[in-house]
Structure formats: C-alpha cells, structure tokens
C-alpha cells in the first residue's frame, strides 16, 4: 500500500522497469542480461511476473506489463526474421540491436506514466460536462454549482496527475460549477480522510468529509447531484470493481435517484471478462482493518496537537485474525445496473433506461 490507485500502480511498475534498465546500461561491466535479446527476455520475465501478481484487481497494471512485453515480443520477431533472411550478418545485427530494444523498453515505460495526465484532464472535462448536462435535464438549478460525492482517493495521489473521479470534481471547481465536494473516509485504510482531504484542501476546493456510514444520511439532508468514483477494473458489461464501500454508496444513490458515475481510463476496461463475477478481489491482511494511523492529539493542556508525533494504533480487541475474525476485502463490485454512466478519455457510455448493463466497448 505504499503506492495505491490503479493508474499510479501501472505507472510505477512501468517506471520501475525503465529506471532499472536505464541504470543497467550505465553499469561497468555491462550486466550479462544485456548480452543478447534472449538473456534480456529471460531476465525480465520473472520481474514482469512479480509485478503483475502484486495487485491482482487493478487491471491497469496488467496493461502496462503487456505493453512492455509487447516491445520484447516485437523485437524477438524482428530478430528471427533477420537471422532467417540474412544469416550470419543478420545474427550480428540482431545482437547489436539489444541496446535499441532496451531503449525502446525505457521509452515505453516512461510513456505509460506520461500519457496518464493528459487523458485524466480529458476525462475530467468530459465527465463534468455530462454531470452538468444531466443535472440540467433533470431540472436542477446549476447556477450555484453542484454538490458531488466521491469515494476513496482518485486524484493526483492515485494517478500520474490531476486524477480520474477527483479530476471531474477539480474541473467542475475550475469552471465555477462546483458548490461542494463530499468524500467518504474510506475505511479501513482511510484514503479519503488522509489523501482526498489533503488534495481538496491543497486545491482550495470547498469540501466536507463524511464517515462511510453517513452516505444515506447525507442524501437525506443535502441535495447531492452526482456520485463520482474511480475504478480498478471494469468488466465488459459495465460491472465495476473499486475501493470497498463503493457498492454501498451506489445502492444508496440508486435509492435516492442520484446518478452514479464511474470515471476511468480505457486501460481500466477489461473486455476479456463478461461481468464482475470474474474480477479477482484482493484481500488485505486482517490486521489492517483493526488499525488507524495518524498524528497524536494530546488531551492535556487544552487538546493541543503534537506536530511531529505519528502513530499506528490498534482500535479493536485482539481478534482471531487468521480464523475469520476479520473480513477485509480491499475492493467490492458495483453491478452496472446501479451505474448511470462510465466515463473514459474516449467519451461517455450511458446505461439505457431499464437496462441492466452498459456497453463499455463504445468508449474503449
């Protein structure tokens, strides 16, 4: 959990490969795995496998690794063709091309991260426009701005910059159409109260934190015009895996007829799986659900804050952690029938009235 957020996980994995290879090319003597394309592939294969398996729910990670594998596969195909056509001369040329393959891998790794910011800003604009249009179609007065709820953290701390769902909120703020952003604490890891809170405060966006269990009460007492969330994986039918607690918010939003919008890059769409039942769900260590972390607040002397003091505190009694004493999935799956629209950099896929699925291939 040092790095979290599906786009950020993919960017980090790709950049780690780029950095690793960049440093390897400067070593003396040259590492043996740079002697040939075969040795390079053999060396990187277990590294790719390890990175791919580290966070199973976030499909962006698999996409990034696939792009890097693709660079190797393309080079290997060219080498085979060259040797078959030119014989010994082709073999010599293939050997000398290892350096160009390494540079190609470095460039591809950096591109995975660099592409993220631009598409996030595009999604922010597209998603904000859709929410505004939808509010106006439903007779809401948007002159004073909209109230929008989000879950978890989907901003610059979860991506390479600007954010996905939080990017929509940011764009609404930038164009003067946001009244207030609401966000859940997103327990047990508190990505909302620790990360989203920081981003919104830094951006000077009017915002209010709520506990996860307060979503229903919020809808009863405030006019919420939309819920916007990110995604770690979206199935072909629109079922969406996202941070635990997203499904709860979607169910309550449906009850109150509040549009529930998913915002994610095309790389998060997984058209290879038919629905959410095929999405692998990561389970975190049980102890994580029993802990809170943050700075220590002293009750002595008027309740002042000890600025430098940080702590991780267990807030539950000792439970049977390894004997089903704690249920701690990191993600849940929101059925597409609860989702009004899915926003990517390619556009908006809306769920038709009475439909129980969304054709995400329209925006893939």
């Amino acid at each position: 959990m040092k790095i979290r957020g599906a786009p950020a996980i993919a960017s980090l994995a790709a950049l780690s490969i780029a950095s690793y290879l960049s440093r390897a090319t400067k070593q003396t003597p040259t590492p043996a795995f740079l002697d040939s394309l075969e040795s390079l592939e053999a060396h990187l294969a277990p590294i790719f496998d390890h990175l791919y398996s580290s966070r199973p729910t976030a499909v962006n990670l698999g996409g990034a690794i696939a792009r890097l594998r693709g660079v190797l596969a393309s080079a290997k195909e060219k080498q085979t063709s060259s040797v078959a056509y030119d014989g010994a001369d082709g073999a010599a040329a293939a050997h000398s091309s290892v350096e160009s393959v390494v540079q190609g891998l470095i460039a591809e790794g950096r591109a995975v991260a660099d592409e993220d910011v631009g598409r996030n800003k595009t999604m922010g604009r597209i998603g904000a426009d859709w929410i505004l249009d939808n509010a106006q179609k439903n007779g809401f007065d948007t002159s004073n701005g909209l109230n929008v709820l989000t879950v978890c953290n989907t901003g610059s701390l979860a991506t390479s910059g600007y954010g996905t769902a939080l990017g929509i909120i940011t764009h609404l703020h930038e164009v003067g159409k946001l009244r207030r952003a609401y966000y859940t604490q997103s327990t047990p890891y508190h990505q909302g109260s620790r990360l989203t809170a920081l981003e919104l405060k830094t951006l000077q966006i009017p915002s209010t934190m709520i506990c996860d269990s307060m979503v229903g009460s919020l809808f009863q007492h405030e006019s919420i015009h939309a819920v916007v969330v990110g995604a770690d994986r979206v199935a072909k039918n629109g079922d969406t895996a996202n941070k635990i607690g997203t499904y709860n918010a979607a169910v309550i939003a449906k009850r109150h007829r509040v549009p529930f919008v998913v915002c994610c890059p095309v790389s998060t769409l997984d058209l290879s799986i038919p629905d959410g039942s095929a999405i692998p769900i990561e389970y975190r260590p049980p102890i994580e659900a029993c802990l809170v972390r943050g700075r220590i607040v002293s009750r002595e002397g008027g309740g002042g804050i000890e600025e430098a003091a940080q702590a991780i505190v267990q807030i539950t009694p000792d439970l049977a952690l390894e004997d089903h004493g704690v249920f701690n999935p990191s993600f849940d799956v929101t059925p597409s029938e609860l989702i009004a629209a899915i926003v990517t950099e390619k556009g908006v896929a809306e769920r038709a009235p009475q439909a129980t699925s969304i054709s995400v291939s329209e925006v893939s």
Side-chain angles (χ1 to χ4, degrees), residues 134-340:
N134 183 76
Q136 291 165 358
K137 287 177 183 177
N138 286 282
F140 290 105
D141 180 5
T142 62
S143 59
N144 293 322
L146 304 180
N147 292 323
V148 180
L149 170 69
T150 191
V151 175
C152 196
N153 173 256
T154 57
S156 293
L157 296 175
T159 64
S160 296
Y162 203 74
T164 54
L166 204 59
I168 291 177
I169 289 174
T170 301
H171 186 84
L172 285 170
H173 173 68
E174 290 173 345
V175 298
K177 290 298 183 179
L178 180 73
R179 188 184 311 168
R180 181 163 291 271
Y182 293 85
Y183 58 97
T184 62
Q185 287 183 324
S186 305
T187 59
Y189 229 81
H190 293 268
Q191 291 97 328
S193 54
R194 294 192 298 133
L195 305 179
T196 299
L198 174 63
E199 292 203 50
L200 292 172
K201 180 180 178 180
T202 301
L203 294 170
Q204 298 183 330
I205 295 176
S207 59
T208 300
M209 182 189 76
I210 65 171
C211 297
D212 297 12
S213 56
M214 297 175 182
V215 173
S217 181
L218 177 68
F219 288 154
Q220 288 177 332
H221 293 93
E222 299 290 343
S223 294
I224 303 300
H225 301 95
V227 180
V228 294
V229 301
D232 286 79
R233 188 182 300 235
V234 178
K236 186 177 182 179
N237 73 334
D239 290 353
T240 296
N242 193 48
K243 185 53 56 186
I244 194 72
T246 301
Y247 176 42
N248 300 36
V251 170
I252 299 173
K254 183 74 169 182
R255 170 67 177 80
H256 289 267
R257 298 181 180 179
V258 175
F260 190 91
V261 179
V262 173
C263 181
C264 64
V266 168
S267 58
T268 301
L269 307 181
D270 189 350
L271 302 183
S272 70
I273 58 175
D275 55 54
S277 65
I279 298 177
I281 299 299
E282 176 185 359
Y283 286 79
R284 300 294 301 171
I287 187 62
E288 288 185 0
C290 305
L291 307 175
V292 293
R293 51 186 56 73
R295 61 183 179 182
I296 298 172
V297 178
S298 173
R299 290 293 183 183
E300 299 178 4
I305 297 175
E306 300 175 19
E307 293 289 347
Q310 296 281 329
I312 298 177
V313 179
Q314 182 173 333
I315 58 173
T316 67
D318 291 329
L319 302 173
L321 298 182
E322 306 305 325
D323 189 27
H324 306 290
V326 177
F327 181 62
N328 192 25
S330 192
F331 305 91
D332 55 29
V333 176
T334 298
S336 55
E337 64 190 76
L338 300 178
I339 300 170

Side-chain angles (χ1 to χ4, degrees), residues 235-239 336-337 339-342 349-352 355-362:
K236 186 177 182 179
N237 73 334
D239 290 353
S336 55
E337 64 190 76
I339 300 170
I342 296 176
E350 298 184 37
R351 182 176 56 79
T356 58
S357 64
I358 298 175
S359 179
V360 298
S361 59
E362 298 175 7

Side-chain angles (χ1 to χ4, degrees), residues 37-38 40-42 44-45 48 64-82 97-98 100-102 104-105 108:
L37 186 57
E38 289 74 18
L40 176 64
E41 183 179 33
L44 290 179
F48 288 155
I65 298 301
R67 286 176 61 171
L68 294 172
R69 290 187 192 275
V71 173
L72 276 175
S74 177
K76 190 174 181 180
E77 183 179 348
K78 290 179 180 179
Q79 181 190 65
T80 301
S81 299
S82 177
S97 71
V98 174
S100 65
V101 175
V102 169
L105 286 166
E108 189 72 9

Side-chain angles (χ1 to χ4, degrees), residues 27-42:
Q27 291 180 15
T28 303
T30 302
F33 69 84
L34 295 181
D35 287 346
S36 68
L37 186 57
E38 289 74 18
S39 58
L40 176 64
E41 183 179 33

